[in-house]
Amino acid sequence: MPYKAISDIGEFGLIDRLSKLVEPTLAEAPSLLKGIGDDCAVYRISENALQVATTDLLAEQVHFDLLTTPLRHLGSKCISVNVSDICAMNALPSFALISLAVPPSFSVEMIEELYRGMSHAATEYGLAIAGGDTSSSRSGLVITVSMTGETTDERITMRKGAKPGDLICVTGTLGGAAAGLKVLMREKNIMLDHLANNEPYSKSLMADLQEYSIAIQHQLLPAARPDIVRFLHASAITPTAMIDLSDGISSDLRHLCTSSDAGAVIFENKIPVNPQAREIADELQEDVITWSLAGGEDYELLFTLPKEQRETIEKHRDISIIGEITEKKSGILLTDIYGMTINLGDIAGFDHFRR
Amino acid sequence: MPYKAISDIGEFGLIDRLSKLVEPTLAEAPSLLKGIGDDCAVYRISENALQVATTDLLAEQVHFDLLTTPLRHLGSKCISVNVSDICAMNALPSFALISLAVPPSFSVEMIEELYRGMSHAATEYGLAIAGGDTSSSRSGLVITVSMTGETTDERITMRKGAKPGDLICVTGTLGGAAAGLKVLMREKNIMLDHLANNEPYSKSLMADLQEYSIAIQHQLLPAARPDIVRFLHASAITPTAMIDLSDGISSDLRHLCTSSDAGAVIFENKIPVNPQAREIADELQEDVITWSLAGGEDYELLFTLPKEQRETIEKHRDISIIGEITEKKSGILLTDIYGMTINLGDIAGFDHFRR
């Protein structure tokens, strides 16, 4: 019997199989409310206090390219992607642990630069870096951040819980991170071509990146949305379901619907496309809707709410209502600007093992 | 100004510098009792409940060699090394998160084998694997486990707190893990030599590893000591200070003494040397005391207690009293079997960045 390649079953197929293997460990953990299968694990720490916990690993050449990523930005991004998972549970972050595997080529100053970015971001988010582990690496840089946050029984929001008729909301703008990555990769390839041909390369040959700075910032310095969590708390709104947009709506809305046993319809003309992403897509003759739905790394929040809360939500300038939860049997659909309906699953999200 | 190589300042020098960079993040975390600088971070989660949290990263070719390490054993070891950090706080483990960076050469079955080891160990330790992150890797396998545990104000034990006159205790036997590694590396080199010379290599050429099985087990399947933590709880004993032996007494006792602002003297003839490590050292003409003091990876517990508790501790067959805490100015000393006193610091422990 041949062994199965991970690419045959993909990241989510693998997670399903690993979940089954860890099930026996959950038998004696009555305080665990949610294990694998949401943005965070959730467990009770006292009568009405819940803790959420998440971990994210970023590996060189998979998640980042040091040719196009300043170390300080990278440090900040590692913190933000974890804060985003905490926010997706309607919780706020409290503590982080940092594990680093450091290649021999790294100097002390380079690691300090990475940590400066982490420390700055942590301070902005109001969370403490409480510890970690530092080791050498025989290959690339690998950064793992694990993070805990706190919330209550009233506020905790999972991927499950969305009901037919609920509004589907998304924060911020989408497609910026994907557009920024395209610009950075184009510049990198021009530089590598010059080097490969032994041609001199200097800053004067670089495109003026200033005009792409918003998209590049979305890629290199994404911001998580604890401000939205605070707004929800202040408005006494608990979403019926929530997920963060790490892989893209096409993939993340599917996770939310699967967990909620529901379907969805979203409208192309309601998608809050990042204006600079649109310009870059025009320039590169690519499709900005694909970037917005499946580009990933926007780290915005996608959540659902009963219709009665439309008025409160509409007051927030940075939240868009993009569609509605439906019955499961209707599937997960996108209505395009011509009124045509297509299966959202046909726009593929990011999968680490299927590139 | 030239950049500083990490090997110039070592792992602990690097940790000192990174600690300073994260200090600003601690300002708004009044519930944090201990950040960087102990086996775990410690924070208050309710009036008399403390949570401890740790993370450990294991990288291929740095911490393990897949030529000599079965994946199931490796999975178990990843859990044990974190449980050991939790035990070192006099706490018991509750939840773990697993992050994996998986090389393209890995099949689904290999990852499942790794997870079977993790799941088995977690069940043995009574902790739940609550989540994680799985990604591809462009280089080797990297595994990060982060783990939380629970304890109380009365029980929490840190590296600081040892007082002159306190007994220094160690659990189990030492040097087994280092001896096991030596045997495995010898076998690996014999195999690689055969392959390099195009000579056939088969199991019949391997040394009979059965006679080294205890030492090999100490290396590949180390066990953390929650049983000792339970014994301490049952005996109503809270050590004055504790650390786990990951790098070796020579390095870990120094950490405990530095945190406690104290000195120490330990006696060579009291060191519980693993009997099989002694046989292997004789065979390889190496020094078993160096393995026992500086070989690392034994994952036993080193702790200190007031002299009044000698009687209770002596009843436990698997705890040895190896010395005594002294004033800081006396230094950290080893009295050898001839009564000569040497500086324990001259026997170097393991440092990832100074191999």
Side-chain angles (χ1 to χ4, degrees):
Chain A
M1 194 182 70
Y3 292 114
K4 198 176 280 294
I6 298 174
S7 55
D8 287 350
I9 61 172
E11 183 180 356
F12 302 111
L14 182 63
I15 291 171
D16 281 347
R17 290 176 74 143
L18 300 182
S19 300
K20 288 197 181 64
L21 289 174
V22 306
E23 250 176 43
T25 73
L26 309 180
E28 310 252 354
S31 63
L32 186 73
L33 277 69
K34 181 76 204 173
I36 296 174
D38 216 303
D39 292 79
C40 289
V42 185
Y43 31 86
R44 183 172 303 288
I45 50 173
S46 71
E47 201 163 331
N48 189 30
L50 302 177
Q51 191 175 58
V52 297
T54 184
T55 182
D56 267 295
L57 178 148
L58 279 80
E60 190 175 341
Q61 295 307 327
V62 177
H63 300 87
F64 59 88
D65 184 331
L66 290 175
L67 273 181
T68 58
T69 314
L71 285 163
R72 201 184 287 213
H73 289 35
L74 179 60
S76 179
K77 183 169 179 172
C78 294
I79 297 295
S80 293
V81 302
N82 279 275
V83 172
S84 186
D85 281 325
I86 302 278
C87 292
M89 312 305 289
N90 199 19
L92 291 167
S94 35
F95 296 106
L97 302 177
I98 314 289
S99 275
L100 290 184
V102 183
S105 59
F106 266 57
S107 66
V108 173
E109 289 80 0
M110 288 167 80
I111 299 296
E112 287 185 322
E113 200 52 14
L114 183 73
Y115 255 73
R116 267 187 209 105
M118 290 182 178
S119 181
H120 179 78
T123 307
E124 290 284 307
Y125 290 124
L127 77 99
I129 296 176
D133 185 28
T134 311
S135 161
S136 56
S137 163
R138 291 292 169 93
S139 37
L141 177 67
V142 179
I143 309 164
T144 308
V145 176
S146 52
M147 198 177 284
T148 55
E150 276 160 46
T151 190
T152 61
D153 287 84
E154 289 73 38
R155 287 175 173 168
I156 185 77
T157 307
M158 304 201 195
R159 294 181 181 177
K160 71 174 181 206
K163 297 271 174 297
D166 282 359
L167 305 172
I168 301 173
C169 305
V170 68
T171 62
T173 63
L174 304 178
L181 184 62
K182 292 280 177 181
V183 170
L184 289 171
M185 286 300 115
R186 184 180 66 173
E187 285 310 303
K188 177 187 160 185
N189 289 332
I190 292 171
M191 184 180 75
L192 292 181
D193 282 351
H194 272 80
L195 294 177
N197 297 326
N198 281 317
E199 290 164 7
Y201 182 79
S202 72
K203 284 216 164 173
S204 64
L205 288 165
M206 284 174 74
D208 182 1
L209 294 181
Q210 198 59 41
E211 61 176 297
Y212 308 113
S213 64
I214 294 171
I216 291 174
Q217 176 146 352
H218 274 279
Q219 169 58 223
L220 296 180
L221 270 179
R225 302 305 303 259
D227 60 311
I228 297 290
V229 173
R230 286 194 196 94
F231 164 77
L232 293 171
H233 293 181
S235 312
I237 292 178
T238 299
T240 48
M242 183 147 60
I243 189 170
D244 81 319
L245 292 175
S246 51
D247 297 334
I249 289 185
S250 65
S251 169
D252 294 322
L253 178 58
R254 182 164 49 83
H255 293 313
L256 187 146
C257 286
T258 304
S259 297
S260 295
D261 216 23
V265 57
I266 61 171
F267 300 94
E268 181 182 342
N269 63 358
K270 304 286 189 189
I271 305 292
V273 175
N274 182 282
Q276 196 168 78
R278 197 183 289 281
E279 287 167 25
I280 293 170
D282 287 349
E283 185 183 333
L284 304 183
Q285 304 199 7
E286 294 213 34
D287 178 25
V288 75
I289 293 295
T290 304
W291 290 356
S292 301
L293 294 177
E297 296 203 281
D298 286 314
Y299 299 106
E300 296 292 344
L301 294 171
L302 178 79
F303 57 91
T304 57
L305 283 174
K307 276 205 170 103
E308 300 76 61
Q309 281 160 335
R310 177 185 288 271
E311 212 173 311
T312 314
I313 282 296
E314 279 181 340
K315 279 187 205 142
H316 195 295
R317 289 174 47 160
D318 208 25
I319 299 178
S320 307
I321 299 173
I322 62 166
E324 192 174 307
I325 294 294
T326 59
E327 296 290 342
K328 185 180 185 180
K329 63 176 186 289
S330 313
I332 304 170
L333 305 172
L334 172 74
T335 300
D336 74 9
I337 50 171
Y338 309 106
M340 300 280 286
T341 290
I342 63 169
N343 192 335
L344 193 63
D346 294 342
I347 301 167
F350 184 81
D351 184 326
H352 285 296
F353 293 103
R354 294 195 192 218
R355 296 183 92 167
Chain B
M1 195 182 70
Y3 293 114
K4 198 176 280 294
I6 299 174
S7 55
D8 287 350
I9 61 172
E11 182 180 356
F12 303 111
L14 181 64
I15 291 171
D16 281 346
R17 289 176 75 142
L18 300 182
S19 299
K20 288 197 181 64
L21 290 174
V22 306
E23 249 176 44
T25 73
L26 309 181
E28 309 251 355
S31 64
L32 186 74
L33 277 69
K34 181 75 205 174
I36 295 173
D38 216 304
D39 292 78
C40 290
V42 184
Y43 33 85
R44 183 172 304 287
I45 50 172
S46 71
E47 200 164 329
N48 189 30
L50 301 178
Q51 191 175 58
V52 297
T54 184
T55 182
D56 266 296
L57 178 148
L58 279 80
E60 191 175 341
Q61 294 307 328
V62 177
H63 300 87
F64 58 87
D65 184 331
L66 291 175
L67 273 180
T68 58
T69 312
L71 285 162
R72 200 183 288 212
H73 290 34
L74 178 61
S76 179
K77 183 169 179 171
C78 294
I79 296 295
S80 293
V81 302
N82 279 277
V83 172
S84 186
D85 282 325
I86 302 278
C87 291
M89 312 305 289
N90 199 20
L92 291 167
S94 35
F95 296 106
L97 302 177
I98 314 290
S99 275
L100 291 184
V102 182
S105 60
F106 266 57
S107 66
V108 173
E109 288 80 0
M110 288 167 81
I111 299 297
E112 286 184 322
E113 201 50 15
L114 182 74
Y115 255 73
R116 267 186 210 106
M118 291 182 177
S119 181
H120 180 77
T123 307
E124 290 284 307
Y125 290 124
L127 77 99
I129 297 176
D133 185 29
T134 310
S135 160
S136 55
S137 163
R138 291 292 168 94
S139 38
L141 178 67
V142 179
I143 308 164
T144 309
V145 176
S146 52
M147 198 177 283
T148 55
E150 277 160 45
T151 189
T152 61
D153 288 84
E154 288 74 40
R155 287 176 173 168
I156 185 77
T157 307
M158 303 199 194
R159 293 180 182 178
K160 70 173 181 208
K163 297 270 174 298
D166 281 358
L167 305 172
I168 301 173
C169 305
V170 68
T171 63
T173 64
L174 304 178
L181 184 62
K182 292 281 177 179
V183 170
L184 289 171
M185 286 300 115
R186 184 180 66 173
E187 286 310 304
K188 177 187 161 185
N189 290 331
I190 293 171
M191 184 180 75
L192 292 180
D193 282 351
H194 272 80
L195 294 176
N197 298 325
N198 281 317
E199 289 163 7
Y201 182 79
S202 71
K203 285 216 164 172
S204 64
L205 288 165
M206 286 175 74
D208 182 2
L209 294 180
Q210 198 59 42
E211 60 176 299
Y212 308 113
S213 64
I214 294 170
I216 291 174
Q217 176 147 351
H218 274 278
Q219 169 58 225
L220 296 180
L221 271 180
R225 303 304 305 259
D227 59 312
I228 297 291
V229 173
R230 287 195 195 92
F231 164 77
L232 293 170
H233 293 182
S235 312
I237 292 178
T238 299
T240 49
M242 184 148 59
I243 189 169
D244 81 318
L245 291 175
S246 52
D247 296 334
I249 289 184
S250 65
S251 168
D252 295 321
L253 178 57
R254 182 164 49 84
H255 293 314
L256 187 148
C257 286
T258 304
S259 297
S260 295
D261 216 24
V265 57
I266 61 172
F267 299 94
E268 182 182 343
N269 63 358
K270 303 286 188 189
I271 305 291
V273 175
N274 182 283
Q276 194 167 78
R278 196 182 289 281
E279 287 166 23
I280 293 170
D282 287 349
E283 185 182 334
L284 303 183
Q285 303 199 9
E286 294 213 33
D287 179 25
V288 76
I289 293 294
T290 304
W291 291 355
S292 301
L293 295 177
E297 296 203 278
D298 286 314
Y299 299 105
E300 297 292 345
L301 295 171
L302 178 79
F303 58 91
T304 57
L305 284 174
K307 278 206 171 105
E308 299 76 60
Q309 281 160 334
R310 178 186 288 270
E311 212 173 310
T312 314
I313 282 296
E314 280 181 339
K315 278 187 205 141
H316 196 294
R317 290 173 44 160
D318 207 26
I319 300 177
S320 308
I321 299 172
I322 62 166
E324 192 175 307
I325 293 294
T326 59
E327 296 290 343
K328 186 180 185 180
K329 62 174 187 290
S330 313
I332 304 170
L333 305 173
L334 172 75
T335 301
D336 74 10
I337 50 171
Y338 307 106
M340 301 280 287
T341 291
I342 63 169
N343 191 336
L344 194 63
D346 294 342
I347 302 166
F350 184 81
D351 184 328
H352 286 296
F353 293 104
R354 294 194 193 220
R355 297 183 92 169

